Amino acid sequence: MSNWYLSALCVLSICSGPVAWAEEFITPPMVSIPAGEFMMGTIGGDPASQPIHEVSVEAFQLAKYPVTVAEFRYFAKDTNFSPDATCNDFIDKEGLRGPTHIGTGRWDKHRYSHSDYQPVTCIFLTTAKAYAKWLSQKTGTSYRLPSEQEWEYAARAGTTSRFFWGDDPTGAQACEYGNVADFTGESVNNQLYGLSNVGFVGLSPCEDGEAYNAIVGQYKANPFGLHDMTGNVLQMVNSCYSDKGYQPDTSAFQEKNQCEFYGLRGSNWHYPARPHTFRGRAKREGWNVSADIGFRLAADKAPATSDDSHFTAALKQAQQQRLSEKDNLLMTPLFGHIVQLGETRYQLRWQPVTDKRVTRYDIYQSVYPQAHLMGGFYQHQYTKLTQVDSSQSSLELDAVANGTSFLLVAANDEQSSLPSAPLLIPHPPVITDIPGKLEMQNVASLNGVALYRAAPTETRPERYYVFKTNPVTAQEKVSMTFLVKVEESGEYQLSYQGRTFQEGTFFTLWNGATLLAEISYERQAENTTNQHSVYLEKGQHSLQLQVMREGFDRWMLAGLEFTLQQPIATGDE
């Protein structure tokens, strides 16, 4: 990782002084949004974004960018706005903290600050509305926050795909249009916190050049000419939120007792690109302000007079300065494979990268047999074995055990690339006897979820488990396959160690195309449910668990145990 980003994570007083112009305010550049109709919401996915329904929108004005720190400074100075430094700007190896966390940031100085041209964050909805009212008084134009309907209509900009640039099933195009969780953020988080989005919230497979809050307008605009409608920071809207879906009066901002949550739209740098139907929320009371939530202004009519030339010129200069500071990440080695030379002798081979900055390749070897299935920061599961000069594209290894895997990392003295895909020397599959327990480290295959390891303690042995944070916009099917040998045909009691935010059906159990059981979760069962009966036939089988979540969820599964309750006699027994 280039040192520019690490050195840029400094406070405004060091990196970028306040903007000093003669004006008493900054008139925001606005975009004229034409009247029209569109289908709002989605058919599947998050229940909060349903049902899909037709919405008519009157012509209005929407700011080209989210409100920046530079613009907000005038308001803060004029109104003596000086809140305590408690904004939630905390991140560590576990990711962002929850909405009640008390951090150390303010709107003008927080962990992600490096420019006055980043979106202003760390403020409540009431402050954003106070800013709009203040600017209205200064300019004579009635500024406000957009409604949720206006925001989605403007974000879509006449398109009907998941994103205004297309459906983009892999998310690889997202970095052209916004600051999202990507390779840049993954690299910076790896170095600063040992944090990885792999197996956690995921990342878009591209490089956008920013890990946290970015200067506005750095990415391509949508067809209406609006920037940062995807990524960077979430944006407050003047509409209520309900997790039960769109309500009859979501456009009106109701009283507190009728509107516990207000809406957030767009996405931010912490998550992969989210479709325009995504609805976030923030609590009107009881939650702290956050350094990843901002806002943009709307107006019913275009300003009678507007001069944003100073702001536009200064913003362009800030964008160019930021661009000049950036280096692309080192290229990740691709197309690696393993060739067996003898019983325990192997050769790693890979395609040399074309990045001239690379001076060596670091070779990492797995610490645990199932490291190739694990999520989290790769150096928690792999240790550096050796390094070779960049002129080499192979390495011979002796006395390598089955189940060992390797990662390739391109590097120089200043930075390292992200790791390659694991190169695995497979081991024979583990067949579990039933009656018995299915241990997660013995899984034959994993799809859509990552494996984790809990180190042994004085009171608990080493434990493996699968864990997933399920975003509201996904309905990804997770599957786990185990190979088993059933000793006797009969009814088995299935118990499991696991938990989920959602009660009801947790996972289904299959033997090939045959559904064996639908397993539920109840909180009062204290993370272990023993009330499921499953019929298993004698012999070797491939059992598959499938998990399908709707809406936000965070779940964990640490093991299943089968106990024979009633054997079934057969002719050969």
Side-chain angles (χ1 to χ4, degrees):
M1 178 69 207
S2 174
N3 290 331
W4 75 266
Y5 208 104
L6 304 184
S7 63
L9 294 178
C10 48
V11 298
L12 285 169
S13 59
I14 299 174
C15 302
S16 168
V19 178
W21 296 324
E23 291 89 340
E24 297 178 355
F25 55 86
I26 297 175
T27 303
M30 303 294 285
V31 174
S32 296
I33 309 298
E37 296 81 33
F38 77 110
M39 298 303 295
M40 185 177 188
T42 181
I43 296 173
D46 182 15
S49 298
Q50 300 176 37
I52 190 168
H53 58 289
E54 187 174 25
V55 174
S56 296
V57 177
E58 299 293 329
F60 69 105
Q61 300 283 306
L62 191 62
K64 193 173 185 179
Y65 315 106
V67 174
T68 62
V69 173
E71 295 166 90
F72 194 83
R73 281 191 184 279
Y74 288 99
F75 166 80
K77 182 178 179 180
D78 195 38
T79 62
N80 296 316
F81 178 72
S82 184
D84 293 336
T86 61
C87 174
N88 183 3
D89 63 346
F90 188 79
I91 190 171
D92 64 6
K93 66 179 181 180
E94 303 296 331
L96 289 175
R97 300 296 86 191
T100 59
H101 179 80
I102 303 300
T104 59
R106 285 186 7 146
W107 66 271
D108 56 345
K109 182 180 178 180
H110 56 72
R111 187 180 295 259
Y112 317 124
S113 297
H114 61 79
S115 170
D116 261 19
Y117 295 94
Q118 294 171 278
V120 67
T121 59
C122 296
I123 60 172
F124 287 104
L125 175 74
T126 52
T127 307
K129 296 174 79 171
Y131 174 82
K133 182 177 180 180
W134 171 85
L135 188 62
S136 299
Q137 293 169 343
K138 292 289 184 180
T139 62
T141 297
S142 294
Y143 292 104
R144 56 178 174 80
L145 269 63
S147 70
E148 199 168 9
Q149 286 78 2
E150 289 173 329
W151 194 98
E152 186 172 326
Y153 175 72
R156 288 178 176 274
T159 64
T160 58
S161 48
R162 295 178 70 237
F163 308 100
F164 61 76
W165 62 87
D167 286 321
D168 194 8
T170 67
Q173 296 174 267
C175 293
E176 298 179 44
Y177 301 94
N179 171 25
V180 297
D182 69 319
F183 294 153
T184 308
E186 179 72 7
S187 181
V188 173
N189 285 331
N190 280 185
Q191 292 192 67
L192 291 181
Y193 310 111
L195 166 66
S196 173
N197 278 336
V198 175
F200 179 36
V201 296
L203 65 159
S204 296
C206 54
E207 182 180 343
D208 65 34
E210 295 284 358
Y212 310 118
N213 298 14
I215 291 173
V216 302
Q218 290 192 80
Y219 305 95
K220 293 179 180 178
N222 77 353
F224 279 166
L226 299 166
H227 293 265
D228 296 288
M229 297 298 279
T230 294
N232 210 355
V233 297
L234 289 159
Q235 297 170 37
M236 294 180 266
V237 291
N238 195 38
S239 296
C240 289
Y241 171 93
S242 170
D243 59 7
K244 296 179 176 60
Y246 288 107
Q247 303 301 300
D249 192 22
T250 55
S251 62
F253 203 82
Q254 303 166 32
E255 297 299 323
K256 287 182 183 179
N257 59 354
Q258 298 175 306
C259 188
E260 182 182 6
F261 294 93
Y262 60 88
L264 302 174
R265 299 304 301 254
S267 52
N268 63 11
W269 48 263
H270 185 57
Y271 290 93
R274 289 159 156 170
H276 300 318
T277 56
F278 168 72
R279 301 178 75 203
R281 65 175 187 171
K283 206 168 187 179
R284 291 181 61 148
E285 294 182 351
W287 284 9
N288 193 19
V289 292
S290 174
D292 65 336
I293 299 174
F295 69 102
R296 73 173 70 215
L297 295 176
D300 292 328
K301 297 180 180 179
T305 58
S306 175
D307 182 7
D308 54 42
S309 57
H310 288 170
F311 172 77
T312 300
L315 172 59
K316 184 177 181 179
Q317 183 179 3
Q319 292 168 343
Q320 292 173 341
Q321 175 64 31
R322 186 67 169 173
L323 184 62
S324 70
E325 296 170 344
K326 296 181 183 181
D327 287 329
N328 292 331
L329 301 178
L330 293 184
M331 294 178 63
T332 300
L334 301 174
F335 308 115
H337 61 285
I338 297 179
V339 177
Q340 187 167 6
L341 303 177
E343 186 175 347
T344 62
R345 291 181 61 244
Y346 295 86
Q347 185 180 60
L348 303 183
R349 298 178 182 175
W350 60 91
Q351 179 76 32
V353 300
T354 58
D355 193 331
K356 301 300 183 183
R357 298 171 297 168
V358 173
T359 60
R360 70 175 193 271
Y361 296 103
D362 295 338
I363 315 298
Y364 286 81
Q365 183 174 353
S366 58
V367 178
Y368 312 108
Q370 297 284 43
H372 63 288
L373 298 177
M374 289 184 171
F377 183 36
Y378 69 94
Q379 291 183 20
H380 295 160
Q381 289 79 247
Y382 289 83
T383 185
K384 186 175 176 180
L385 173 66
T386 188
Q387 65 185 50
V388 299
D389 186 81
S390 60
S391 61
Q392 290 186 230
S393 58
S394 65
L395 177 69
E396 290 194 11
L397 302 166
D398 198 8
V400 180
N402 290 339
T404 304
S405 59
F406 301 88
L407 300 177
L408 307 173
V409 175
N412 57 33
D413 290 340
E414 295 182 349
Q415 56 183 313
S416 301
S417 74
L418 293 174
S420 68
L423 309 181
L424 174 66
I425 299 173
H427 58 68
V430 176
I431 299 177
T432 301
D433 290 331
I434 292 181
K437 185 174 182 179
L438 297 183
E439 304 279 2
M440 286 300 159
Q441 66 268 33
N442 295 329
V443 67
S445 66
L446 277 178
N447 292 292
V449 71
L451 185 69
Y452 291 85
R453 173 184 176 271
T457 66
E458 293 182 358
T459 59
R460 190 174 65 184
E462 175 188 62
R463 183 177 62 152
Y464 287 82
Y465 60 96
V466 292
F467 167 83
K468 188 172 181 66
T469 296
N470 206 81
V472 297
T473 54
Q475 286 186 294
E476 183 179 18
K477 182 171 69 176
V478 169
S479 64
M480 294 161 265
T481 301
F482 294 87
L483 302 181
V484 301
K485 181 181 179 182
V486 180
E487 301 288 342
E488 295 185 68
S489 299
E491 292 288 337
Y492 286 79
Q493 178 179 277
L494 184 156
S495 63
Y496 67 87
Q497 290 179 299
R499 62 180 180 270
T500 171
F501 281 0
Q502 301 180 13
E503 291 194 321
T505 300
F506 187 1
F507 60 88
T508 53
L509 182 67
W510 299 76
N511 182 1
T514 302
L515 176 64
L516 300 178
E518 188 173 282
I519 309 301
S520 62
Y521 173 78
E522 298 177 7
R523 288 188 180 89
Q524 60 266 33
E526 296 184 351
N527 301 335
T528 302
T529 302
N530 294 297
Q531 301 175 354
H532 301 283
S533 181
V534 178
Y535 176 78
L536 298 176
E537 291 192 358
K538 180 180 178 179
Q540 291 194 11
H541 304 285
S542 174
L543 299 184
Q544 187 180 73
L545 279 74
Q546 293 185 355
V547 183
M548 188 78 168
R549 316 310 288 161
E550 288 191 10
F552 176 79
D553 195 15
R554 184 168 289 161
W555 59 270
M556 179 275 290
L557 195 59
L560 290 80
E561 187 167 6
F562 293 87
T563 304
L564 181 62
Q565 298 298 297
Q566 183 180 359
I568 304 297
T570 61
D572 59 354
E573 291 180 331

